[in-house]
Amino acid sequence: MTARRTIDVTRLPMVGFGWEAPIWCGQLGLAVIEGVLFAMLAAAYLYSRLKFEVWPPAGTNVPGLALPTMELLAVLASCIPMHWGDKAILHKEWGKGTAGMLLNLALGGVYLALRILVWRQLDFSWNSHLYGSLVWALLGIHTAHIVASLAESAVLSGFLIAGHREEKLRQGLNQDEIYWYFVAASGALLYAIVHLAPRLL
Amino acid sequence: MSPPGAALDSQADAAALRAAWSNRRGFYGWITEVDHKSIGKRYIVTAFVFLLLAGIEALLMRLQLSRPENGFLDPDLYNQVFTMHGTTMMFLFATPVMEGFGLYFVPLMVGTRNVAFPRLAAFSYWMYLFGGIFLYAGFVTNTGADAGWFAYVPLSGPEFSPGKRVDFWAQMITFTEISALSTAVDLIVTILRMRAPGMSLSRMPLYVWAMLVQSFMIVFAMPAVMLASSMLLADRTVGTHFFNPGETADPLLWQHLFWFFGHPEVYIIFIPALGMISSIIETFARRPVFGYPAMTLSLIATAFMGFGLWAHHMFTTGLPPATEAFFTAASIMIAIPSGVQVFCWLATLWSGDICWSTALRFVLAFFALFVAGGLTGVMIASVPFDTQAHDTFFIVAHFHYVLIGGAVFPLLGAVYYWFPKFTGRLLSERLGRLNFWVTFVGFNLTFFPMHYLGLKGMPRRVYTYTPEMGWGALNLLATCGAAILAMGGLLFLGNVFWSMTSRRTAGNNPWAAATLEWAADSPPEPYSFQELPAVSSREPMWSEAHDLAHVTGLAEDRRQTLVTSTVSARPQHRYSLPGPTLWPLLAALAVSSAFVGSVFRPIWVIYGAILTFFALLGWFWPKDYWE
Amino acid sequence: MTADFQSALHPAGPQSDQIALVWWILLAVSTAVMVGVPGMLAAAIRRRRVSNGQSSERRLARAVGLAVGITSVVLAGLFAASLAVGKRINSYRDPNGLKIAVTGNQWWWEVRYRTTSPNEGFTTANEIHLPVGRGAHIELRSNDVIHSFWVPNLHGKMDAIPGRVNTVWLKADRPGEFRGQCAEFCGLQHAHMALWVVVEPPDAFEHWRRGQIEPSHEPAPGSDEERGREAFLSLPCGLCHAVRGTAAFGQVAPDLTHLATRRAVAAGALPNTRGHLGGWIVDSQRIKPGNRMPPMAVPAASLPVLLTYLESLK
């Protein structure tokens, strides 16, 4: 038996956070994929617009700017308690963390509610015309992400309230954070494409 | 026994590890499996089954075209067959088989015990399998896609392709793309976070580099086609107007989205093959591949440039001349990184000490076939020439030289090379030599004449032609070539079956190769490495085989491995991996219910999403494997 | 062995000639590489091995660098050549050129000769006539799916895309009959969507053009041709086809006013003979399955006179 070189890892922690955690990297990968998907759809919108003289087509109104702006503010605001809560949970300050999560959920709920109101403002459908198809697709895909992310946050908050304190839960909240940031960032892109672009281009 | 020189007293560990990492036998064990090696093998076997189907479709087409005005297939069936052939080769064979090899070998080559997300790997396999079955279920019920693998609108739209055929095609795209995207993320995280201590980025095997680059390409390319196929499906099922020229939509949008994926797709297939070639040449030239930094930079450059070529598929659509010039320049320039790699391999062979084997033979054939395909690629990068060659048999010849010569020949080489690792048995070299020559001759007889047919005016995707066109003789020659190529395929299968039953075992490192997969048993134990290896060079099995450092302190009675830093692979934390579970299958079924259901009733998108939510809840529900 | 009337290798016009030049240059360079690379490979594997460590690695690096350098220079040269030819082809114009609108349909080509004077334009199908040496400006449209207009002896292909108008100039330097074929998969009968380009001396072209402008041939009273015309008009033919000078003015199928002057029927699927024409009318779905022409229940007695009439449409 010769003495073989060894690396002892007994003292290393069992979990990492942020970039150190594979699951966090995986979540980032998912956000990148969906970001590309969303960017492609935005590109399709702009490309399709090129063939039109009048956009949106005559007789169609661009949804008013007030609600979408409130909507955008709500989602941007919701990132603050998300960040704050996540940091607290990393430091195992559970109470503060729970509060942050719940506040984020509340603001996220406002965001979703406003989104539904924006939707109800539309005076066209997905099958009215090309503009309608594109706007509905952008809103639809993005709203699905809001719902999915809120569902994830709600489940994780449920565990927090139920008293779960596992490392895995901390990691889950850590990864939930970047997903919500992705939702907010793509929400800003949506705002620019659906609400600003037709007014500017 | 994993690393050579492992001590006898670690027998007990082996038993504990085996208990922790193995799965129950039987059907339930099979559907709950999360081991990357099992999933990788499944991917490969499934992909070869689809290759067989696509091969049969190819033979049907060759029979139909063997003489003018042949009545063997009617146009309706012919159009389904060529669509199924292209679709199967691209989506159900080429990409998945490369993913399968990646899933199997990346963790072994970076010296870890499983992929970063084993359940995601299982999920991706199920999605792939269900997507493939779905497409073929359509085909056998006369609902086979018939608008080409590229499905150009408006031909594939609701007006000109009524019925469900194109719906099946479009939805299969989403299935397989989700599968490929999942695997890509899985491999990226495995490669960047789980390499053996000491395996810095600059010590990574070139095959692993290739899989990393390919996975990033998937992440950026595949969303485009998923989006496009979903938009097409929406046009067809719920009356949206994304591609409806009647509503001033531009049919070229589809082509831009499709080729933004479609051209990188070629490199997604081809880049892993480059990695295989590097592995095989290194082993059989008995020296490290010459020019490692140039090789890795070429891979990365190819990937970047691969995203700037898509419009060269659209040179006849009337793009502005400046756009065409840009895409011509990019398409010609991408030959440079390929050239760098070819020359580096030649330098490796030149200065190496060559041992002949069937694997090497298949790789050397690459030099003739891929160079031919690459040259015709440079030809059609020229807009004036492309306006003649585009959509003719010249293109059919070109991309078969690139994809079969450039990817499938190295892939077959890789099967010969890695078969002992999969099975513990060597493939017969004698049958292998015959297999190689028959395949090589058959391939060239089939595809070389097509260059000339294209120049002599034969368009692609025609189900027949009149005798006075004079294309009959060369088509007959190509059909004979296809028969020989098919014999090559049968010889390959014969060799696989013969060798599986042979008693001769291969040993852990039959080729005396350099990389870590050869440190594992053949076939590897479910835990792959009894002790995780640690390396201090690029060719650990050559320079440190008898003194391979290893990791201690990981639990042996549960599934644990190590996470290391991205650049220099310093250990960061231990990492628990999940064991067998049914949830990936259930999640795949839930997602499939949305996909399959929505082809018939759009509301299934909602039902499926709800089912998927519950499946994911089960998947991520806290379990006790954690600490 | 193969025919030369649909071939990129037998150019009959300035543009296809330039493209063929590009092809021969590319082929020459490729042949050199196809000899060179396998040659280097053979040399590499047959060579007797003497390894002398570091210095040989450095020499290899120089060799690889040199090879990459040569590759880059050759590629740059090809790029320049391709660009130059492309520019020359694109800049071709003829101020006296003909104006022809070609429209792709599943699965035939509508051809409209346009002029500034109102009574000089006419419509035909699946056949274009060009005078030698005079350019023709082709406007490409599609009525349904994407098609691609390709007459390899004269020029490369250009797509006909719904919602867009693409243009291309054609010019022929020598007389001849050249075949073109749809090159973009367009559905069931993509294989049978051909057209002929007939290049003639200017006076022959002029004769043809004059003939095409005329309304259809007027049958003599009481002749078989007249009975044939009655049969034609009593069948549903005129709902889709037009015969100028009669009550048939359908616009969704080929104009038949001068059908008998054309070389082929059914977009190149059949030669234009009495027998083939009869077979086509009675059972077009067997000849070109899926095509838009429904089977015609022509009374047995009417068929011969109908064919006589169609044959008289010169």
Side-chain angles (χ1 to χ4, degrees):
Chain A
M1 227 354 259
T2 54
R4 294 175 61 217
R5 289 171 297 141
T6 58
I7 295 169
D8 185 24
V9 297
T10 323
R11 287 161 172 279
L12 287 182
M14 275 305 301
V15 283
F17 293 94
W19 178 247
E20 284 198 7
I23 188 75
W24 190 91
C25 302
Q27 183 80 68
L28 183 65
L30 181 67
V32 170
I33 289 169
E34 292 176 13
V36 175
L37 188 83
F38 212 72
M40 285 289 157
L41 186 56
Y45 175 98
L46 296 174
Y47 182 89
S48 300
R49 195 245 169 279
L50 291 177
K51 281 192 89 178
F52 284 80
E53 302 266 317
V54 186
W55 186 264
T60 304
N61 297 310
V62 183
L65 209 51
L67 275 176
T69 308
M70 282 161 62
E71 188 195 83
L72 183 67
L73 291 175
V75 72
L76 292 180
S78 72
C79 293
I80 298 166
M82 184 51 132
H83 178 71
W84 175 71
D86 186 64
K87 225 167 165 183
I89 283 167
L90 280 186
H91 295 115
K92 300 200 180 179
E93 299 168 53
W94 299 103
K96 238 169 110 180
T98 314
M101 285 302 293
L102 290 177
L103 196 53
N104 165 263
L105 264 180
L107 283 167
V110 171
Y111 185 39
L112 186 60
L114 286 168
R115 170 60 52 82
I116 292 165
L117 291 180
V118 170
W119 218 319
R120 293 186 52 166
Q121 253 189 8
L122 303 183
D123 59 357
F124 52 85
S125 165
W126 67 81
N127 56 9
S128 306
H129 37 52
L130 179 56
Y131 172 79
S133 303
L134 287 162
V135 169
W136 275 72
L138 283 158
L139 286 176
I141 291 185
H142 190 256
T143 308
H145 281 88
I146 303 177
V147 172
S149 190
L150 284 178
E152 186 182 350
S153 298
V155 170
L156 290 169
S157 305
F159 281 123
L160 266 183
I161 292 166
H164 280 263
R165 294 294 180 260
E166 298 95 338
E167 293 288 83
K168 176 168 171 146
L169 183 60
R170 285 170 72 207
Q171 237 183 13
L173 288 160
N174 189 220
Q175 111 198 36
D176 187 43
E177 184 189 3
I178 53 163
Y179 200 58
W180 185 252
Y181 293 162
F182 163 72
V183 170
S186 51
L189 177 65
L190 180 91
Y191 181 78
I193 293 286
V194 173
H195 301 296
L196 294 184
R199 292 179 160 83
L200 299 175
L201 298 175
Chain B
M1 195 73 35
S2 34
L8 282 172
D9 63 350
S10 47
Q11 285 298 342
D13 310 342
L17 277 167
R18 197 168 295 124
W21 286 85
S22 49
N23 191 0
R24 67 168 90 182
R25 290 171 173 280
F27 181 70
Y28 190 77
W30 192 78
I31 58 173
T32 56
E33 188 56 67
V34 292
D35 177 26
H36 73 102
K37 297 177 288 293
S38 306
I39 294 166
K41 270 193 291 190
R42 272 178 215 179
Y43 250 107
I44 295 167
V45 170
T46 313
F48 271 96
V49 170
F50 281 119
L51 174 66
L52 200 66
L53 292 172
I56 293 168
E57 286 147 13
L59 288 176
L60 294 176
M61 281 190 282
R62 282 314 325 159
L63 278 174
Q64 165 65 15
L65 293 178
S66 60
R67 59 192 179 92
E69 291 183 342
N70 199 357
F72 177 63
L73 296 180
D74 64 37
D76 182 57
L77 191 54
Y78 185 86
N79 290 350
Q80 288 184 65
V81 167
F82 86 69
T83 302
M84 291 296 290
H85 171 77
T87 303
T88 306
M89 288 302 282
M90 296 303 275
F91 294 103
L92 301 176
F93 167 67
T95 314
V97 80
M98 294 301 178
E99 298 292 353
F101 270 87
L103 282 171
Y104 194 100
F105 285 108
V106 162
L108 289 173
M109 282 175 129
V110 303
T112 189
R113 283 173 171 157
N114 205 342
V115 286
F117 313 117
R119 294 172 296 185
L120 188 65
F123 172 77
S124 87
Y125 173 74
W126 296 122
M127 289 304 287
Y128 159 50
L129 181 69
F130 296 161
I133 291 174
F134 181 56
L135 184 74
Y136 272 85
F139 186 43
V140 297
T141 54
N142 193 25
T143 315
D146 59 354
W149 87 280
F150 47 90
Y152 275 7
V153 292
L155 179 63
S156 60
E159 191 181 348
F160 299 102
S161 290
K164 292 283 167 216
R165 287 180 172 183
V166 176
D167 298 338
F168 273 63
W169 179 88
Q171 206 60 293
M172 179 281 307
I173 298 290
T174 313
F175 269 106
T176 53
E177 304 310 85
I178 284 186
S179 155
L181 285 163
S182 308
T183 305
V185 170
D186 216 342
L187 289 179
I188 289 173
V189 178
T190 308
I191 294 170
L192 292 182
R193 313 297 295 114
M194 293 169 69
R195 297 194 309 277
M199 189 186 281
S200 58
L201 285 181
S202 60
R203 287 180 188 150
M204 242 160 61
L206 285 169
Y207 176 74
V208 177
W209 266 109
M211 289 310 297
L212 180 66
V213 168
Q214 183 237 22
S215 300
F216 271 108
M217 288 192 80
I218 289 180
V219 165
F220 288 97
M222 296 221 174
V225 73
M226 245 171 78
L227 177 70
S229 66
S230 305
M231 284 158 78
L232 176 62
L233 198 68
D235 273 10
R236 297 176 52 85
T237 53
V238 295
T240 53
H241 303 291
F242 296 114
F243 305 116
N244 180 359
E247 288 281 342
T248 329
D250 188 352
L252 289 189
L253 173 61
W254 169 268
Q255 298 189 21
H256 281 296
L257 288 172
F258 188 81
W259 293 117
F260 185 83
F261 143 82
H263 200 82
E265 166 78 355
V266 173
Y267 292 92
I268 285 167
I269 293 165
F270 174 60
I271 283 179
L274 298 178
M276 293 168 169
I277 295 170
S278 288
S279 292
I280 292 170
I281 287 188
E282 173 173 276
T283 299
F284 294 102
R286 297 262 162 272
R287 60 151 291 168
V289 171
F290 177 82
Y292 180 90
M295 294 292 292
T296 52
L297 287 175
S298 298
L299 287 174
I300 295 168
T302 306
F304 272 100
M305 288 185 195
F307 282 95
L309 308 182
W310 81 88
H312 76 201
H313 295 266
M314 299 165 65
F315 279 162
T316 64
T317 58
L319 298 173
T323 312
E324 293 187 340
F326 171 83
F327 283 100
T328 297
S331 312
I332 287 182
M333 244 160 59
I334 202 163
I336 295 174
S338 302
V340 169
Q341 297 183 69
V342 167
F343 293 128
C344 284
W345 288 321
L346 284 174
T348 312
L349 291 164
W350 175 271
S351 56
D353 182 10
I354 290 171
C355 304
W356 282 99
S357 75
T358 305
L360 185 65
R361 249 176 224 112
F362 273 104
V363 163
L364 294 187
F366 164 91
F367 284 87
L369 304 180
F370 173 70
V371 168
L375 287 167
T376 51
V378 170
M379 291 179 178
I380 55 179
S382 155
V383 176
F385 179 68
D386 186 60
T387 61
Q388 289 285 22
H390 182 73
D391 270 330
T392 68
F393 264 72
F394 189 91
I395 302 294
V396 179
H398 158 69
F399 70 75
H400 281 95
Y401 269 83
V402 173
L403 288 173
I404 307 293
V408 176
F409 270 73
L411 176 78
L412 291 176
V415 173
Y416 275 89
Y417 177 60
W418 277 316
F419 195 78
K421 190 50 60 185
F422 292 125
T423 62
R425 309 271 191 279
L426 286 161
L427 286 169
S428 155
E429 282 290 310
R430 211 193 297 147
L431 255 178
R433 203 175 316 157
L434 187 65
N435 174 197
F436 168 75
W437 282 110
V438 171
T439 310
F440 186 78
V441 169
F443 171 81
N444 283 295
L445 271 183
T446 312
F447 294 105
F448 198 78
M450 292 185 188
H451 292 109
Y452 189 67
L453 279 171
L455 294 170
K456 293 306 293 279
M458 183 165 173
R460 293 171 74 177
R461 302 159 186 147
V462 290
Y463 76 96
T464 193
Y465 50 92
T466 52
E468 60 271 18
M469 301 312 296
W471 299 326
L474 285 178
N475 269 300
L476 183 61
L477 181 65
T479 302
C480 296
I484 297 174
L485 189 55
M487 273 184 335
L490 290 180
L491 281 169
F492 173 76
L493 285 182
N495 201 350
V496 167
F497 286 118
W498 180 83
S499 306
M500 298 256 269
T501 56
S502 113
R503 294 243 176 81
R504 279 191 324 141
T505 52
N508 287 0
N509 192 356
W511 316 113
T515 39
L516 282 179
E517 78 272 28
W518 303 104
D521 292 324
S522 295
E525 294 284 349
Y527 47 84
S528 298
F529 300 99
Q530 193 165 332
E531 292 148 324
L532 287 189
V535 302
S536 51
S537 69
R538 213 175 275 157
E539 293 86 24
M541 299 298 286
W542 283 347
S543 52
E544 40 192 315
H546 298 288
D547 188 25
L548 200 59
H550 64 99
V551 173
T552 60
L554 288 178
E556 280 143 6
D557 55 351
R558 70 201 89 160
R559 299 187 175 207
Q560 256 184 24
T561 186
L562 197 63
V563 167
T564 57
S565 64
T566 304
V567 176
S568 51
R570 272 192 309 276
Q572 284 179 327
H573 63 87
R574 291 172 286 160
Y575 182 41
S576 291
L577 288 166
T581 160
L582 198 55
W583 287 107
L585 175 60
L586 294 178
L589 285 171
V591 176
S592 302
S593 75
F595 289 175
V596 175
S598 62
V599 164
F600 301 95
R601 290 190 54 210
I603 190 69
W604 267 93
V605 172
I606 310 283
Y607 299 159
I610 294 167
L611 288 176
T612 306
F613 172 76
F614 285 110
L616 291 181
L617 205 58
W619 181 323
F620 288 109
W621 198 262
K623 294 175 198 74
D624 58 352
Y625 74 80
W626 193 248
E627 267 154 303
Chain C
M1 184 163 50
T2 51
D4 297 340
F5 50 76
Q6 184 170 322
S7 164
L9 301 179
H10 295 83
Q15 290 134 316
S16 52
D17 204 46
Q18 291 286 314
I19 297 173
L21 176 71
V22 176
W23 153 250
W24 292 116
I25 294 172
L26 289 167
L27 182 65
V29 173
S30 302
T31 309
V33 179
M34 273 316 287
V35 173
V37 170
M40 283 190 271
L41 178 67
I45 53 188
R46 282 176 187 284
R47 152 176 190 274
R48 290 185 58 196
R49 274 142 235 285
V50 267
S51 167
N52 48 354
Q54 281 303 313
S55 73
S56 88
E57 288 290 289
R58 213 170 305 144
R59 239 179 305 142
L60 280 179
R62 263 204 301 268
V64 169
L66 184 68
V68 173
I70 294 172
T71 310
S72 308
V73 171
V74 170
L75 290 173
L78 292 178
F79 176 60
S82 158
L83 222 54
V85 169
K87 212 166 165 195
R88 201 176 307 169
I89 292 174
N90 284 335
S91 61
Y92 175 77
R93 301 278 183 283
D94 182 351
N96 297 319
L98 297 161
K99 287 194 187 324
I100 307 173
V102 174
T103 305
N105 295 277
Q106 280 181 326
W107 292 275
W108 61 282
W109 301 95
E110 184 197 66
V111 178
R112 280 175 194 266
Y113 279 71
R114 309 178 113 170
T115 50
T116 38
S117 48
N119 296 324
E120 300 261 289
F122 58 87
T123 302
T124 178
N126 304 322
E127 196 164 304
I128 296 174
H129 284 235
L130 296 177
V132 177
R134 186 167 160 201
H137 187 242
I138 312 274
E139 282 183 354
L140 286 165
R141 291 181 181 76
S142 167
N143 275 337
D144 37 50
V145 302
I146 300 175
H147 304 276
S148 193
F149 177 80
W150 185 39
V151 187
N153 297 71
L154 296 181
H155 202 334
K157 54 188 76 64
M158 179 60 85
D159 292 352
I161 302 169
R164 287 184 168 237
V165 183
N166 276 333
T167 60
V168 66
W169 278 92
L170 287 191
K171 187 194 173 200
D173 290 333
R174 61 177 166 91
E177 294 185 4
F178 306 108
R179 193 173 182 271
Q181 196 169 351
C182 176
E184 182 60 77
F185 178 62
C186 57
L188 213 53
Q189 282 300 336
H190 169 55
H192 289 130
M193 187 170 162
L195 80 169
W196 282 94
V197 176
V198 181
V199 182
E200 326 172 279
D203 43 348
F205 170 75
E206 197 49 32
H207 176 77
W208 174 82
R209 194 179 71 88
R210 288 272 148 224
Q212 297 289 313
I213 295 169
E214 295 297 314
S216 63
H217 166 77
E218 190 63 33
S223 64
D224 277 1
E225 289 168 17
E226 199 199 27
R227 282 199 295 281
R229 184 170 67 179
E230 273 164 28
F232 180 81
L233 295 172
S234 64
L235 286 161
C237 309
L239 295 177
C240 299
H241 294 280
V243 176
R244 276 174 278 139
T246 73
F249 45 79
Q251 294 291 319
V252 298
D255 184 301
L256 302 179
T257 312
H258 299 286
L259 173 67
T261 64
R262 294 187 207 145
R263 271 139 194 79
V265 287
L270 300 169
N272 191 0
T273 64
R274 186 180 172 94
H276 284 302
L277 199 56
W280 174 251
I281 292 168
V282 174
D283 197 4
S284 66
Q285 292 301 326
R286 192 184 49 78
I287 293 159
K288 194 169 163 180
N291 86 83
R292 301 281 189 256
M293 175 144 150
M296 283 292 137
V298 184
S302 304
L303 188 60
V305 292
L306 178 62
L307 290 172
T308 306
Y309 172 64
L310 292 174
E311 282 187 298
S312 77
L313 293 174
K314 292 207 193 296

